[in-house]
Amino acid sequence: MPRRTATLLASLLTLIALLCAGVLIPVPYAEMSPGLTVNTLGKHDGETVLRITGQKTYPTSGHLNMTTVQVTNSEYKMNLVESVYGWLSHDKLVVPHKTLYPDDKSADEVNQENAEEFTQSQESAKVAALKELKKRKLLDVKLASHTVVGSVAKGAPAEGILHAGDAIKAVDGEAVRTPADVVKLVSQHKPGDKTVFTVIPAERVAAAEKQRKEPRGAKNVTLTTMRAPQGDRAMIGIEAAVDYTLPFDISITVRDVGGPSAGLMFSLGIIDKLTPGDLTGGEFVAGTGTIAEDGTVGPIGGISMKTVGARNKGAAYFLTPEANCATAARDIPDGLTLVKVATLDDAMDALEKIREKKTADLPSCTRG
């Protein structure tokens, strides 16, 4: 065989071997890509996304789209060829597998955590929206609130005795009005002391909220404090939170979505439905961001995939959490304006500029 032919054959066989190895060798990465994009003002899978009963609502137009990221499942093993293709692709993002699925959590635990975060984001969105409406004097609403058990740590004195959603009325006979009161009253003890919590079980709290009534049926439970992991402070292993009783029903229906990142867009959708006129002026606005009950907008993951997904659906403006702006600005899809927001107030002001065609005044995202 001529030397040149032998060299070409050897090179071809080597290339084939490398390609086979690239397909067969798994790599510790996962892939993110643009996911579901849903107009919070409309319907998804035949169901109205935001449904409000017990309060007057108004027609809406335009789009206030929440955005998501699609990820490979926990069992999927990427190969070298797929990961290289993903790194080179504009609409895919390759990340370490443990970024999406931490080693210390099972896939079921990750999914459960995402579901819980999604549910909590909906509740925060409702409260933030109603507070914003009241602050701007667009709707006179009353929000009754009470301190509840937000979560209970595993192995803590409170485990099995207190439960998430239990209303905390008093500690050692002292009335509780805020989560800070709980920390203060428990901290007055030494580790090993007894403390008495006056609580209303979560199921009674939920039933009262449905009837727009103050929860009743308190009982006393005695707990033994333990030493906090850091310092000499006494603790019982709960995180206290604030729960609100809304003055009317707001339901949010979007299936197969997890995580907290739709909070901002849910809040804006609620506000739009509860006020005359259109927040968007008929424009296609998309966005993302967690929302706190005080209206603070927090950062999210996969921002570049969300901007691509939004633009693919037709969005002209994208409300971007301030903390994500630098990353998002590295690769802005053609025709999409990234609008920087740090609060729900910022988002409302930005939508006013979009409505009034004053887009040159919008706070835009720039590279960090």
Side-chain angles (χ1 to χ4, degrees), residues 49-368:
V49 176
L50 295 174
R51 188 182 299 276
I52 300 171
T53 55
Q55 178 65 30
K56 184 178 180 179
T57 58
Y58 299 86
T60 58
S61 68
H63 289 72
L64 283 171
N65 279 44
M66 55 166 280
T67 52
T68 66
V69 173
Q70 182 175 313
V71 300
T72 50
N73 67 49
S74 62
E75 306 300 323
Y76 185 75
K77 303 296 183 184
M78 288 188 72
N79 60 50
L80 185 59
V81 172
E82 288 174 320
S83 62
V84 171
Y85 177 77
W87 277 317
L88 298 176
S89 176
H90 172 71
D91 58 357
K92 296 182 187 299
L93 184 64
V94 176
V95 297
H97 189 274
K98 64 181 180 182
T99 300
L100 301 178
Y101 304 101
D103 294 336
D104 60 344
K105 294 181 182 178
S106 68
D108 287 342
E109 288 174 327
V110 171
N111 290 336
Q112 178 62 30
E113 186 176 286
N114 285 337
E116 290 173 356
E117 288 180 340
F118 185 62
T119 299
Q120 182 55 52
S121 75
Q122 295 178 43
E123 299 309 306
S124 297
K126 297 171 188 177
V127 173
L130 295 186
K131 285 185 174 183
E132 183 74 11
L133 286 165
K134 184 173 183 178
K135 181 172 67 174
R136 289 177 175 256
K137 298 182 179 180
L138 297 173
L139 186 66
D140 185 18
V141 293
K142 293 182 180 179
L143 283 170
S145 66
H146 45 270
T147 300
V148 299
V149 177
S151 61
V152 182
K154 290 183 178 180
E159 185 178 17
I161 300 174
L162 297 181
H163 304 87
D166 289 349
I168 306 171
K169 305 303 291 182
V171 175
D172 299 321
E174 294 283 340
V176 166
R177 293 180 176 81
T178 69
D181 291 341
V182 179
V183 176
K184 177 183 176 182
L185 292 168
V186 173
S187 297
Q188 291 176 357
H189 289 278
K190 294 180 180 179
D193 284 353
K194 302 287 186 182
T195 182
V196 178
F197 271 59
T198 303
V199 298
I200 301 174
E203 58 271 17
R204 292 192 177 186
V205 175
E209 287 181 346
K210 287 183 178 179
Q211 299 174 8
R212 317 287 179 213
K213 294 181 178 180
E214 181 70 20
R216 301 186 181 279
K219 64 178 183 178
N220 291 332
V221 295
T222 301
L223 299 156
T224 302
T225 63
M226 64 178 288
R227 188 181 303 276
Q230 296 179 345
D232 295 328
R233 181 176 63 84
M235 59 173 281
I236 61 164
I238 68 167
E239 183 176 345
V242 178
D243 190 29
Y244 291 86
T245 300
L246 304 183
F248 45 84
D249 287 329
I250 304 173
S251 65
I252 302 176
T253 305
V254 182
R255 304 189 187 283
D256 302 320
V257 174
S261 65
L264 170 63
M265 303 312 292
F266 285 148
S267 285
L268 292 172
I270 292 168
I271 291 171
D272 203 355
K273 290 202 166 204
L274 288 171
T275 52
D278 295 311
L279 283 186
T280 66
E283 296 285 352
F284 195 138
V285 180
T288 188
T290 65
I291 193 76
E293 290 168 354
D294 65 358
T296 302
V297 176
I300 51 80
I303 185 67
S304 59
M305 295 297 95
K306 293 184 175 183
T307 57
V308 170
R311 186 55 187 154
N312 287 346
K313 287 291 185 179
Y317 303 94
F318 192 91
L319 302 179
T320 311
E322 183 177 31
N324 289 123
C325 260
T327 300
R330 291 174 192 161
D331 189 12
I332 305 174
D334 291 340
L336 187 67
T337 299
L338 302 186
V339 183
K340 179 172 63 176
V341 296
T343 65
L344 185 54
D345 245 359
D346 291 345
M348 291 286 287
D349 291 343
L351 290 174
E352 182 179 356
K353 290 181 173 65
I354 291 171
R355 276 197 315 275
E356 296 179 355
K357 311 300 181 185
K358 297 179 180 179
T359 53
D361 297 333
L362 287 170
S364 60
C365 291
T366 56
R367 288 174 182 256

